[in-house]
Amino acid sequence: MRRWILVALVLAAPAWADDLPSWNDGAAKQAILEFVQATTQQGGAKYVPPEERVAAFDQDGTLWVEHPMYTQVLYCLARVPAVVKAKPELAQKEPFKTVLSGDREKIARLTLKDLEAILVATLTGMSTDQFAAEARKWLEEAKDPRWKRPYTELAYQPMLELLQYLRANGYKTYIVTGGGQDFVRVYAERVYGIPPEQVVGTAGVTKYEYDKAGKPLLFKEPKLLLNNDKGGKPEGIHFMIGRRPHLAFGNSDGDREMLEYSAAGDGPRLALLVHHDDAEREYAYGANTKVGTFSDALMSEARKDGWTVVSMKNDWKRIFAFDK
Amino acid sequence: MRRWILVALVLAAPAWADDLPSWNDGAAKQAILEFVQATTQQGGAKYVPPEERVAAFDQDGTLWVEHPMYTQVLYCLARVPAVVKAKPELAQKEPFKTVLSGDREKIARLTLKDLEAILVATLTGMSTDQFAAEARKWLEEAKDPRWKRPYTELAYQPMLELLQYLRANGYKTYIVTGGGQDFVRVYAERVYGIPPEQVVGTAGVTKYEYDKAGKPLLFKEPKLLLNNDKGGKPEGIHFMIGRRPHLAFGNSDGDREMLEYSAAGDGPRLALLVHHDDAEREYAYGANTKVGTFSDALMSEARKDGWTVVSMKNDWKRIFAFDK
């Protein structure tokens, strides 16, 4: 008899096993669970066939920490000495001179145009393979100053659980990021379980060339192919996926068009935003930051259109895998 | 006893079941079978893990008929009357005047620049959804004049078997075409079993807009985003897949860079070319055609680098599913 009870318990487990253990019970968790159950229930009114199950996630500030500076920008700043070593004439030129000075306050005051010059100098002018090798090396060594851990450990545990839960339910999980596609691909598979073909990002033109040994390579040109931010996100989604996501998850004004575009498709759709309101465990920032701006207008649109706003403070039991 | 023999036969079936029944025995079929067996044999020296199993196929002339004119160009020509109806001032302007005249000889003499103007006028200036609906409608109705069948029935049966065989062995099959990505996506899933996210093609810029009801859409701009031909094929592969294909299959000079790029990766690689040498069952054409040029230089490179040249005449038992 006891044995049968045990078997029954084991068989019934999925009904009460918690797929999202780092999420507190609440409206956000409920919305996610209901959406996944409804869209995967064969014969149900909201059923979505497996090939249509596409979920799109912004990265910076949605899947991992973006504050006070995007990790990719930190990478570019860290690459400046190597770039200047190869081209010594840059040492006396701005904005490279400021970066080399190491003066944090001055660096924080660099303009967007300055940053662009640094991005071009550090992200282009080499083969795609060479770039990936350099970025991989930095990611292995660099540490975030606040948590004293590799940046790749600063992924949000509740989001890792959500990605896994969606995949277990037949969803293809995509990253749709304003960040560099080639940069994110270096670690996306390891950190998020998302393969390179499911990383949609800002990308530059690459040129087909041969190295000295006659071996083909792709050379990263200093020219933008796709600016995968704001209206560029639906464009990137159309180009790389060719379907409207049924679930889209962002955290800032740069994700507005992606959420609108996804939510406007036929059938069941779920749009979500992470709200950074947890100064203690992570950061609290809103309308007036350099990165990840979550404007009042975005909050209004979310309320009006029934998008789910996820409060880090209230909806997440823990932030990182290393949290107790 | 007999029963056990039967069971043994059934169990052993995969060893001699023919996965490529429309292929004649020969070097090409042998090369494919050996490649797939070697790359999927766990523990073998040439084993390729499932996530790395990427196979890239050109479309026109590789998966279906491209001669004497690309199907997409036929679609664009067929759309001209509708475009002129919406913009009557085009009726007296070239090249639209020539297309409207219906004079086949004159149409065949249109220059590349003329064709470009027709492509821009018929493939852009509407939403992606509207374009897909129009293309779908034409594909349902239009028939090829030689075979008197829908164009979508002119896929090569041996290639359909190869796609299926590769997928059954864990390969992701991609189309990598110089043709329009949005056009090919309309039928790729139905004809080839290839979903939209695995169609890499020439693509235009799309712009995020709202329709009169405030619903988001992507508007097809008359501006090229990616010219997915020649050196653009590796670029498109890098952008959309982010991995070098282990198998690449083309049929013309436009596929040279894709084959080189794929073949130059580490580990086992297979590069193949369809050679159109069957005037009776399909077409025979080589260096001097408007479409699908297979130059002597390409043949030399194939010989030198050990690429497999597939003779339609000798390697394919039948060409189409409707062949006896």
Side-chain angles (χ1 to χ4, degrees):
Chain A
M1 185 69 179
R2 258 192 223 145
R3 190 196 241 163
W4 288 112
I5 289 170
L6 191 67
V7 168
L9 286 175
V10 168
L11 289 173
W16 20 277
D18 190 348
D19 292 306
L20 302 172
S22 298
W23 291 71
N24 288 318
D25 291 331
K29 182 173 182 171
Q30 199 56 31
I32 293 168
L33 293 173
E34 281 174 10
F35 172 82
V36 171
Q37 280 154 14
T39 56
T40 55
Q41 194 196 326
Q42 214 144 2
K46 295 187 173 178
Y47 179 72
V48 175
E51 67 273 15
E52 296 278 351
R53 292 183 201 158
V54 169
F57 290 82
D58 168 60
Q59 191 206 206
D60 292 302
T62 300
L63 294 180
W64 77 350
V65 175
E66 66 178 350
H67 208 74
M69 224 180 236
Y70 297 126
T71 304
Q72 188 183 357
V73 172
L74 294 170
Y75 168 72
C76 292
L77 293 173
R79 286 293 302 163
V80 166
V83 166
V84 172
K85 203 176 166 191
K87 290 185 189 178
E89 67 273 19
L90 294 178
Q92 297 308 315
K93 278 182 73 174
E94 290 298 353
F96 304 98
K97 199 175 160 185
T98 294
V99 176
L100 289 176
S101 77
D103 184 329
R104 284 184 187 204
E105 280 185 34
K106 274 193 189 166
I107 292 171
R109 280 200 303 273
L110 288 173
T111 64
L112 265 182
K113 215 186 139 203
D114 290 334
L115 279 181
E116 229 177 83
I118 292 164
L119 263 60
V120 166
T122 52
L123 299 176
T124 70
M126 74 286 281
S127 76
T128 52
D129 289 345
Q130 199 185 336
F131 169 78
E134 284 166 5
R136 190 171 295 118
K137 192 163 175 287
W138 181 81
L139 282 160
E140 275 165 17
E141 293 166 0
K143 286 193 174 169
D144 170 85
R146 175 168 167 189
W147 286 279
K148 318 227 180 317
R149 291 176 177 270
Y151 291 97
T152 47
E153 290 185 20
L154 300 187
Y156 304 134
Q157 180 60 21
M159 297 304 281
L160 297 178
E161 291 167 7
L162 175 56
L163 291 170
Q164 183 48 41
Y165 172 57
L166 287 167
R167 289 194 291 261
N169 282 281
Y171 276 86
K172 264 192 177 174
T173 53
Y174 283 83
I175 288 173
V176 179
T177 174
Q181 188 182 49
D182 283 344
F183 184 75
V184 178
R185 277 175 169 168
V186 169
Y187 55 85
E189 189 139 32
R190 180 165 52 90
V191 174
Y192 306 117
I194 294 182
E197 62 270 26
Q198 284 163 228
V199 176
V200 184
T202 294
V205 169
T206 58
K207 205 175 149 209
Y208 186 76
E209 291 182 358
Y210 304 91
D211 67 13
K212 283 173 192 162
K215 214 179 152 181
L217 59 86
L218 287 172
F219 190 82
K220 287 171 75 68
E221 297 275 311
K223 197 183 157 191
L224 205 58
L225 178 67
L226 175 74
N227 184 4
N228 199 59
D229 197 25
K230 301 186 188 286
K233 289 205 172 189
E235 183 177 10
I237 287 170
H238 178 71
F239 186 63
M240 273 195 58
I241 314 177
R243 313 182 193 262
R244 284 193 203 222
H246 278 266
L247 182 153
F249 212 138
N251 81 304
S252 81
D253 287 23
D255 301 312
R256 190 172 65 92
E257 289 85 351
M258 172 171 82
L259 266 62
E260 289 176 351
Y261 181 71
S262 302
D266 297 331
R269 307 277 160 167
L270 187 63
L272 308 106
L273 286 163
V274 174
H275 192 215
H276 292 265
D277 57 0
D278 194 333
E280 201 185 312
R281 295 188 301 171
E282 203 237 14
Y283 294 105
Y285 54 94
N288 300 309
T289 56
K290 253 196 179 174
V291 298
T293 300
F294 193 135
S295 67
D296 295 343
L298 183 66
M299 188 61 94
S300 299
E301 186 165 347
R303 294 249 159 82
K304 188 174 73 63
D305 292 345
W307 298 349
T308 298
V309 177
V310 175
S311 159
M312 287 189 97
K313 193 169 175 173
N314 301 319
D315 287 313
W316 288 359
K317 207 170 284 177
R318 57 178 186 164
I319 309 288
F320 303 111
F322 54 79
D323 282 344
K324 295 269 161 77
Chain B
M1 184 66 178
R2 261 191 221 145
R3 188 197 242 164
W4 288 112
I5 288 170
L6 190 68
V7 167
L9 287 174
V10 169
L11 289 173
W16 18 279
D18 191 348
D19 292 304
L20 302 171
S22 298
W23 290 70
N24 287 318
D25 291 332
K29 182 173 182 170
Q30 198 57 33
I32 292 167
L33 293 173
E34 281 176 7
F35 172 82
V36 172
Q37 280 154 14
T39 56
T40 55
Q41 195 197 326
Q42 213 145 3
K46 295 184 173 178
Y47 179 72
V48 174
E51 67 274 15
E52 295 278 350
R53 292 182 201 157
V54 169
F57 290 82
D58 168 60
Q59 190 205 207
D60 293 301
T62 299
L63 294 180
W64 76 351
V65 174
E66 67 178 347
H67 207 74
M69 225 180 235
Y70 297 125
T71 304
Q72 188 183 357
V73 173
L74 295 169
Y75 168 72
C76 292
L77 293 172
R79 285 294 302 163
V80 166
V83 166
V84 171
K85 203 176 164 192
K87 291 188 189 175
E89 67 274 19
L90 294 179
Q92 296 309 317
K93 276 182 74 173
E94 290 297 355
F96 304 99
K97 199 176 162 187
T98 295
V99 176
L100 289 174
S101 76
D103 185 328
R104 285 186 186 205
E105 278 185 36
K106 273 192 189 167
I107 292 171
R109 281 200 303 273
L110 289 173
T111 64
L112 265 181
K113 216 186 140 202
D114 291 333
L115 279 181
E116 229 177 82
I118 293 163
L119 265 61
V120 166
T122 53
L123 300 176
T124 71
M126 74 285 282
S127 77
T128 52
D129 289 346
Q130 199 184 338
F131 169 77
E134 285 167 5
R136 191 172 294 117
K137 191 162 175 289
W138 181 81
L139 282 159
E140 274 165 20
E141 293 165 1
K143 285 195 175 168
D144 169 86
R146 174 167 168 189
W147 285 281
K148 318 229 180 315
R149 291 174 176 271
Y151 291 98
T152 47
E153 289 185 21
L154 300 186
Y156 304 134
Q157 180 60 23
M159 297 303 281
L160 296 178
E161 292 167 7
L162 175 56
L163 291 171
Q164 184 47 44
Y165 173 57
L166 287 168
R167 288 194 290 262
N169 282 281
Y171 275 85
K172 264 193 177 170
T173 53
Y174 283 85
I175 289 174
V176 180
T177 175
Q181 188 182 48
D182 283 343
F183 185 76
V184 177
R185 278 174 169 169
V186 170
Y187 55 85
E189 189 139 34
R190 180 165 51 91
V191 174
Y192 306 118
I194 294 181
E197 63 269 26
Q198 284 163 226
V199 176
V200 185
T202 294
V205 168
T206 59
K207 204 176 150 205
Y208 186 76
E209 290 182 358
Y210 304 90
D211 67 13
K212 282 172 195 164
K215 214 180 152 180
L217 58 84
L218 287 171
F219 190 82
K220 287 170 74 69
E221 297 276 310
K223 198 184 157 191
L224 205 58
L225 179 67
L226 176 75
N227 184 4
N228 199 57
D229 196 28
K230 302 187 188 284
K233 290 205 173 191
E235 184 177 8
I237 287 170
H238 178 70
F239 186 65
M240 274 195 55
I241 314 178
R243 312 180 192 263
R244 285 192 201 223
H246 277 266
L247 181 152
F249 211 138
N251 81 304
S252 81
D253 287 22
D255 302 312
R256 190 173 66 91
E257 289 84 351
M258 173 172 81
L259 266 62
E260 289 176 350
Y261 181 70
S262 302
D266 295 332
R269 307 278 160 167
L270 187 63
L272 308 105
L273 286 162
V274 175
H275 192 216
H276 291 264
D277 57 0
D278 194 333
E280 202 184 312
R281 295 186 302 171
E282 202 237 12
Y283 294 105
Y285 54 95
N288 300 310
T289 56
K290 253 197 181 175
V291 297
T293 300
F294 192 135
S295 67
D296 295 344
L298 183 65
M299 188 61 94
S300 299
E301 187 166 347
R303 294 250 159 83
K304 188 173 72 65
D305 291 345
W307 297 350
T308 298
V309 176
V310 175
S311 159
M312 287 189 98
K313 193 169 177 173
N314 302 319
D315 286 314
W316 288 0
K317 206 171 283 176
R318 57 178 187 163
I319 310 287
F320 303 111
F322 54 79
D323 282 344
K324 295 266 159 77

